[in-house]
Amino acid sequence: MNDKVILPQVNILTSPDWQEYALLDSGEGKKLEQFGKVRLIRPEAEAVWNRKLSETEWNQAAAEFIPTAEENGGHWKKKASFPAEWKVRYKDLMFQLMLSNSKQVGIFPEQACQWDWVRQQLSPIGRSAQVLNLFGYTGGMTIAAAAAGAKVTHLDASKKAIQWAKENQTASGLGSDSIRWMLDDGLKFVQREARRGNRYQGIILDPPKFGRGPKGEVWEFYKSFPELIQACGEILAPDARFLLVTAYAIKASSLTLNNVLAEITAKFGGFVTNGEVCLQDRSGGRLLSMAVYGRWQKERDSLPNLERTMV
Ligand SMILES: C[S@@+](CC[C@H](N)C(=O)[O-])C[C@H]1O[C@@H](n2cnc3c(N)ncnc32)[C@H](O)[C@@H]1O
């Protein structure tokens, strides 16, 4: 192999600035987490090692998600005193949490480092930026970008997720005009924006493995993502600053995301990096990989390995 070829690095990102969330321990297929005042146990297939904390610590959990064999199936086993909903703060962002039918509670805490990154990309342009958040769920990214002053278009196929995201907007004290809410299919919307000539300075997408648009449109990552990401390339504005893709629950390497982002952003210059977003447990410092990401940014900053992945 030619030694002049510079290989991209897989970056490991954690979110050390959390005050109100912690991964307390992990192991034996589970994770023990503290979300504000509430301690939870959730299944975690990647935690194939032994737990470090005592049974007494684990027994303090107020609820545990008991999975069934089918994907995302299961139910919560709660202690009598369990709150219907509660809040968790990250810096100036506030999130409303509750137990959902799946093991989710309304935020992906490992995304906090990406919320910070989006805000960092927006800091020089703030109010003049149009940001699109596709598959936005309960709006973690949307709230972060809106708090940085951007005008955000938040899209999701679920009415319930959009309602929850609106509650997070209010809880975070953001004005009602900071976010445009779209109940739509991700791919159809981006294709329509391309035809209309609408452009964005930043795009964020966290597509699931499988999903459905509001009219039953089928989303399958490997079939639909190539078309969607090309369409995203078309709606990046000439002065675009960033594009962030996160992927959960798929087997893709973050290098896959690096390759495609390098392709669609080649005409803009800038930098592409990739890696894994991880939670680090307090009990043993072990890194639990939650998702892969790829991101493109126009401007250089102090991120590790940036020079290695120059487009
Ligand atoms: C993995 S979650 C995104 C998590 C979120 N980005 C975060 O970090 O909080 C996936 C979301 O995609 C939405 N979804 C699934 N299929 C969709 C489609 N075809 N178009 C738009 N949204 C879709 C779901 O309703 C769900 O809210």
Side-chain angles (χ1 to χ4, degrees):
M1 199 173 81
N2 178 350
D3 357 290
K4 284 192 186 143
V5 173
I6 299 171
L7 296 175
Q9 300 245 326
V10 174
N11 295 299
I12 301 296
L13 301 185
T14 59
S15 297
D17 293 349
W18 269 111
Q19 306 275 325
E20 297 194 8
Y21 167 82
L23 174 60
L24 300 172
D25 194 17
S26 60
E28 297 154 45
K30 295 180 183 184
K31 56 188 178 196
L32 179 66
E33 298 171 289
Q34 192 74 41
F35 286 92
K37 60 183 182 181
V38 174
R39 189 174 286 198
L40 299 174
I41 299 175
R42 296 195 288 169
E44 181 50 68
E46 302 272 332
V48 294
W49 43 82
N50 290 325
R51 303 175 191 187
K52 285 201 184 279
L53 293 185
S54 65
E55 255 333 277
T56 320
E57 287 287 342
W58 281 77
N59 286 339
Q60 281 175 31
E64 174 170 2
F65 189 80
I66 313 290
T68 51
E70 79 229 40
E71 203 169 336
N72 299 324
H75 69 278
W76 285 98
K77 194 171 130 201
K78 292 181 258 183
K79 286 192 179 156
S81 56
F82 200 86
E85 42 184 61
W86 73 105
K87 288 192 174 72
V88 160
R89 171 183 290 281
Y90 180 76
K91 298 183 178 173
D92 53 343
L93 313 176
M94 188 72 100
F95 299 102
Q96 183 77 56
L97 304 191
M98 62 181 138
L99 304 183
S100 64
N101 294 336
S102 68
K103 63 180 178 180
Q104 302 307 341
V105 296
I107 50 167
F108 291 81
E110 63 279 7
Q111 288 288 334
C113 56
Q114 304 286 31
W115 303 336
D116 290 343
W117 180 80
V118 163
R119 295 181 77 160
Q120 194 186 334
Q121 302 312 307
L122 285 168
S123 64
I125 51 166
R127 303 209 167 270
S128 60
Q130 291 285 344
V131 171
L132 175 60
N133 185 17
L134 296 165
F135 309 96
Y137 185 49
T138 55
M141 278 296 178
T142 297
I143 305 300
K151 290 268 177 271
V152 189
T153 299
H154 172 108
L155 182 141
D156 201 280
S158 153
K159 246 188 209 163
K160 203 173 152 200
I162 290 183
Q163 187 48 42
W164 197 336
K166 285 182 181 172
E167 285 167 26
N168 288 333
Q169 175 187 30
T170 308
S172 297
L174 294 163
S176 57
D177 60 347
S178 57
I179 302 168
R180 176 167 73 126
W181 303 102
M182 300 296 309
L183 179 73
D184 207 338
D185 175 65
L187 178 58
K188 272 195 185 161
F189 178 79
V190 175
Q191 289 171 332
R192 222 179 302 125
E193 288 295 79
R195 286 196 297 275
R196 288 179 188 137
N198 290 336
R199 300 293 179 261
Y200 295 85
Q201 278 74 36
I203 302 178
I204 301 153
L205 56 157
D206 181 359
K209 188 169 163 191
F210 297 108
R212 283 208 180 258
K215 295 189 180 133
E217 300 92 337
V218 176
W219 169 268
E220 265 187 68
F221 186 89
Y222 283 102
K223 283 195 186 153
S224 320
F225 181 71
E227 203 177 349
L228 176 62
I229 196 72
Q230 293 298 332
C232 285
E234 287 173 40
I235 61 166
L236 277 176
D239 60 347
R241 296 189 64 87
F242 71 92
L243 174 54
L244 166 64
V245 185
T246 309
Y248 282 79
I250 56 157
K251 290 203 186 96
S253 157
S254 67
L255 295 169
T256 306
L257 303 180
N258 184 313
N259 292 340
V260 73
L261 290 187
E263 182 181 288
I264 66 160
T265 59
K267 65 175 186 240
F268 296 98
F271 307 89
V272 177
T273 51
N274 61 280
E276 300 181 18
V277 275
C278 299
L279 291 171
Q280 187 164 33
D281 74 14
R282 276 198 187 163
S283 58
R286 293 165 295 195
L287 288 163
L288 202 48
S289 177
M290 305 307 294
V292 293
Y293 77 90
R295 57 196 193 187
W296 167 77
Q297 63 197 81
K298 177 69 184 166
E299 302 295 334
R300 169 180 287 279
D301 60 22
S302 58
L303 286 171
N305 305 318
L306 201 57
E307 58 288 344
R308 291 182 168 275
T309 51
M310 200 182 299
V311 182

